[in-house]
Amino acid sequence: MNEQFLTPEKFAQMLCDDLSLPTSKFMPLIAESIRTQVVDFETVHLVELPAENIRVVINLDLQIGKINLRDRFEWDLANTTSNAPEVFSRQLASEVGLGGEYSAIIAHAIREQLYRHKRQWIDESLYDQITAPLSNGFRTVEDAEGWTPQMDILPNEELEKLLIAQERNMR
């Protein structure tokens, strides 16, 4: 969208070279796919939401190496004026004791879900689902259990099962 130096064709060329794919066959397809995705993103990104308090639930379930991070939280879709996902992900990674390399993965997962929520909100005209402002930022003790980060270190057997299941889901 804002990339000035790396065109879709140049990226496709580099990807084909890295993967030893025939450039003449795959480069046009990859470049066109990139252009289509950028146009699709721009159409959603440029839509102004009518109000604040369009809260959506973000569900993180990230497997990074042997670490599985799960979290669930609400996010205001209208919060697009800053690098809020990046700031939030740095704070979350710090609080749960993950290194800085995890911040980008967490931020990407948040941005991806925000895009999907915004697209759904626009496509389904959910303008009547604006929620009232929160009067309190805390949840009850009963509710809080489902809204806290959980981190597990997976043993090798569990990691292998998870990778096989993810590979199966990609097909």
Side-chain angles (χ1 to χ4, degrees):
M1 189 164 104
N2 296 322
E3 179 59 49
Q4 298 174 6
F5 303 108
L6 187 63
T7 65
E9 287 75 20
K10 185 65 179 165
F11 179 84
Q13 170 81 44
M14 291 169 29
L15 182 64
C16 287
D17 291 346
D18 286 349
L19 299 176
S20 301
L21 296 172
T23 307
S24 60
K25 182 177 181 181
F26 290 102
M27 191 177 90
L29 297 172
I30 295 168
E32 184 57 34
S33 177
I34 292 169
R35 268 194 231 77
T36 302
Q37 291 177 49
V38 168
V39 167
D40 185 47
F41 175 80
E42 283 179 329
T43 57
V44 172
H45 180 70
L46 295 175
V47 172
E48 290 290 326
L49 296 174
E52 293 181 357
N53 298 313
I54 304 171
R55 291 191 310 273
V56 295
V57 175
I58 302 294
N59 288 298
L60 295 181
D61 190 357
L62 305 172
Q63 192 262 316
I64 308 162
K66 288 187 171 190
I67 297 172
N68 183 258
L69 172 66
R70 291 182 310 282
D71 199 1
R72 181 174 164 212
F73 47 88
E74 288 185 323
W75 196 280
D76 186 353
L77 265 183
N79 184 3
T80 59
T81 57
S82 67
N83 286 334
E86 287 73 18
V87 172
F88 178 84
S89 66
R90 279 193 298 274
Q91 185 64 37
L92 176 62
S94 173
E95 286 178 3
V96 297
L98 294 173
E101 65 273 15
Y102 295 98
S103 296
I105 296 168
I106 296 167
H108 175 76
I110 294 169
R111 286 203 179 272
E112 186 175 36
Q113 288 186 48
L114 290 173
Y115 167 79
R116 278 193 259 131
H117 282 298
K118 187 173 181 180
R119 174 164 214 83
Q120 178 186 13
W121 206 82
I122 293 166
D123 290 347
E124 297 176 14
S125 299
L126 301 175
Y127 294 95
D128 59 337
Q129 295 194 13
I130 296 173
T131 54
L134 291 175
S135 60
N136 185 344
F138 296 99
R139 297 191 183 279
T140 64
V141 173
E142 297 81 30
D143 286 345
E145 199 171 298
W147 295 86
T148 57
Q150 298 173 3
M151 199 169 65
D152 299 315
I153 298 176
L154 303 173
N156 288 337
E157 307 84 45
E158 194 78 24
L159 181 61
E160 192 172 317
K161 285 182 200 174
L162 187 62
L163 292 174
I164 291 170
Q166 287 175 347
E167 189 175 306
R168 199 175 301 132
N169 287 339
M170 286 194 308
R171 292 183 206 156

